[in-house]
Amino acid sequence: MTKPVSLPLDLPELRFSASGGATVRRTVLPCGVRILSELVPGARSVTLGYWVAVGSRDEVPAAADGDGSHPASLGSTHFLEHLLFKGTPTRSAFDIAVAFDSVGGEHNALTAKEHTCYYAKVRDSDLVMAVDVMCDMITSSVLDAQEFETEREVILEELAMADDDPTDVAQERLYEAVFGAHPLGRPIGGDVDTIRAASRDAVVEHYRANYRPEDLVITAAGGVDHDVLVSRVVEGLARAGWDLGRVSSPVARRSATPVTLTPGSEFVSVARPIEQANIMIGMPGIVASDPRRFAQSVFNSVLGGGMSSRLFQEIREKRGLVYSVFSFASSYSDAGISGFYAGTAPTKAPEVTRLMMAEFLAVAESGITPEELARAQGQIAGASALALEDTDTRMSRLGRAEITTGEFNDYDTMLSLLNAVTVDDVRAFASDIANGTFSLVSVGKADDEALRSAVQGSIS
């Protein structure tokens, strides 16, 4: 492949070759279920994923009509991630665990802002078992009331664990600050208040409304026979009572039109009795389908993507002010975020903040060198090749392509687009996001006014 492959929602069958001798196939069942596979030559494992394009951004505080007939669903997505492993009419939670443990497999789930994925990794010979168990979980979870209360406590412990990590706290607060009132600003896992307030009725309603044939995407990568995969999926869904004969189109993908964000705050300080000040600075970024995403990858590599990056060299290697410093970016269907992080002694936080801003603005104003461009392209190309040795990465690539962008890029296509990036592209991208509103989050014991002055002094 040398160009992206489109994934039209109204195309029943699609087959094409991908880099490295892989074969990608896609089947859209009449009921709207989408099944994608990537056969990887020589692979003896398969990673299987069941996706629904529903995440924390899709939860609602309360019904629009306000009559109480539809309870608030905040926290429901995270609850379902836990509860779907707790049993069906034919399998207990222990049965599900034993099914994978007895073959040396792995199974888990993740909740994100725009999707939820339940996944398993098994030997190729155990794929049929994995499909059967996961079809049962997705379609027939009993959402037991007692298990619901048990998992409420488990989730609260999970949130407490995250709240003990100052980097996690800084990241959550930065998302709130940059995205403001946009649903992307809400925490993925919910918070203590929403989890305590969540009702089983709301979670059940969320489950029934969103776990339907037209919402379901199934992806598999590795030693997978596509025809066997489709056959077993159809059997599993029919066994659960899903009406596969009902003709329905897959749900439409989210709009990719960028929204205008109104930041929630330009400065957030969270006092914590810890040894370091954890500083995050962020601004609105780009959407997932933006053609500039490859320039963004190069920008992040040069600014803070490794030991040769500008932030690492200037702040850690030359000055010894930090142990950890890096840049990052996350892109969603209609908005994105870009930023950088450092952990340092509270007395050094203003200086580190000034240095991070200076390095970022230097790229925005003067760009990068040809040597930096080549190094970044090599880093991204190499890291991507290593990642694709893992069937987990390939399975996720299929899911994200189907749900988010509607197009599939194999490794060769990615390299072609990456190598087309120029130093001018990187400078233009950095300049564009530098025109956004900066938000700074501090977790620890740093001097708030000094931090404010450090950011304001850099952009004035």
Side-chain angles (χ1 to χ4, degrees):
M1 286 173 52
T2 56
K3 60 181 180 179
V5 174
S6 178
L7 303 172
L9 294 176
D10 59 354
L11 185 64
E13 294 286 342
L14 181 65
R15 178 175 184 154
F16 55 90
S17 297
S19 55
T23 299
V24 177
R25 294 183 62 185
R26 176 175 179 260
T27 296
V28 181
L29 300 179
C31 63
V33 173
R34 288 163 281 172
I35 307 169
L36 298 89
S37 70
E38 182 174 6
L39 174 61
V40 181
R44 296 304 306 272
S45 68
V46 181
T47 303
L48 175 69
Y50 282 59
W51 305 69
V52 288
V54 176
S56 57
R57 69 169 294 173
D58 302 300
E59 299 166 348
V60 293
D65 55 19
D67 65 0
S69 60
H70 298 284
S73 67
L74 294 180
S76 293
T77 309
H78 193 191
F79 256 108
L80 285 178
E81 178 202 322
H82 284 245
L83 290 171
L84 262 60
F85 290 93
K86 306 307 289 186
T88 72
T90 59
R91 289 181 174 89
S92 68
F94 184 70
D95 292 334
I96 293 170
V98 166
F100 290 102
D101 286 352
S102 63
V103 298
E106 304 169 1
H107 67 297
N108 211 327
L110 62 88
T111 304
K113 290 186 181 290
E114 296 191 320
H115 62 259
T116 309
C117 178
Y118 303 84
Y119 58 92
K121 186 171 188 175
V122 295
R123 290 181 303 174
D124 52 359
S125 58
D126 295 314
L127 176 62
V128 168
M129 176 279 296
V131 170
D132 289 349
V133 173
M134 294 186 71
C135 276
D136 194 24
M137 288 170 49
I138 294 295
T139 62
S140 306
S141 176
V142 296
L143 305 182
D144 179 77
Q146 183 174 341
E147 293 285 7
F148 181 84
E149 294 305 325
T150 299
E151 288 308 303
R152 189 196 304 275
E153 297 306 314
V154 172
I155 293 172
L156 289 172
E157 290 300 326
E158 183 182 355
L159 295 180
M161 180 176 66
D163 199 49
D164 281 341
D165 185 332
T167 306
D168 281 357
V169 174
Q171 183 178 45
E172 291 289 4
R173 298 298 184 273
L174 186 69
Y175 271 73
E176 293 173 2
V178 172
F179 288 115
H182 192 288
L184 287 170
R186 292 199 296 258
I188 291 173
D191 56 33
V192 172
D193 291 337
T194 59
I195 296 302
R196 288 198 184 281
S199 70
R200 179 176 176 274
D201 287 346
V203 175
V204 169
E205 184 169 307
H206 192 68
Y207 178 53
R208 291 174 177 167
N210 296 295
Y211 286 60
R212 307 169 301 166
E214 55 265 43
D215 290 292
L216 183 60
V217 173
I218 299 172
T219 62
V224 54
D225 182 314
H226 184 79
D227 293 326
V228 171
L229 173 65
V230 172
S231 175
R232 295 303 297 199
V233 166
V234 169
E235 287 182 29
L237 298 181
R239 191 181 306 119
W242 278 22
D243 183 3
L244 303 184
R246 179 178 64 89
V247 177
S248 180
S249 299
V251 293
R253 297 184 178 102
R254 299 177 194 273
S255 170
T257 303
V259 297
T260 300
L261 297 175
T262 302
S265 178
E266 293 185 12
F267 184 82
V268 178
S269 177
V270 181
R272 288 289 175 88
I274 53 179
E275 295 301 315
Q276 281 194 314
N278 293 262
I279 307 299
M280 276 196 177
I281 301 172
M283 67 233 59
I286 61 175
V287 302
S289 59
D290 195 308
R292 295 174 296 168
R293 63 190 183 274
F294 297 97
Q296 175 180 257
S297 296
V298 171
F299 163 78
N300 268 318
S301 176
V302 172
L303 181 64
M307 295 177 68
S308 65
S309 68
R310 292 192 180 191
L311 292 179
F312 193 94
Q313 285 294 313
E314 186 66 29
I315 302 175
R316 173 170 162 163
E317 293 295 278
K318 292 182 181 179
R319 303 171 188 266
L321 295 173
V322 301
Y323 176 77
S324 179
V325 60
F326 56 84
S327 61
F328 58 89
S330 295
S331 295
Y332 304 96
S333 58
D334 57 358
I337 184 173
S338 187
F340 28 93
Y341 163 87
T344 187
T347 56
K348 301 173 183 176
E351 180 183 2
V352 169
T353 299
R354 282 192 294 270
L355 290 168
M356 287 196 294
M357 289 294 297
E359 292 301 325
F360 167 67
L361 293 174
V363 177
E365 294 167 4
S366 304
I368 63 174
T369 68
E371 291 77 17
E372 287 177 317
L373 173 63
R375 187 164 65 241
Q377 290 169 327
Q379 181 192 47
I380 297 166
S384 298
L386 295 178
L388 290 172
E389 293 292 313
D390 189 344
T391 55
D392 295 12
T393 300
R394 291 175 180 265
M395 182 279 290
S396 294
R397 179 174 64 174
L398 286 173
R400 295 176 191 280
E402 179 63 47
I403 288 174
T404 306
T405 62
E407 66 176 31
F408 177 87
N409 290 328
D410 73 351
Y411 182 70
D412 291 339
T413 305
M414 185 278 295
L415 279 186
S416 177
L417 295 168
L418 174 66
N419 290 331
V421 174
T422 68
V423 292
D424 289 338
D425 293 333
V426 178
R427 185 203 58 76
F429 167 78
S431 179
D432 284 346
I433 63 171
N435 287 325
T437 300
F438 292 89
S439 295
L440 183 147
V441 173
S442 169
V443 179
K445 299 182 292 187
D447 184 321
D448 291 351
E449 288 306 315
L451 290 175
R452 288 177 188 269
S453 297
V455 173
Q456 292 301 322
S458 298
I459 60 179
S460 61

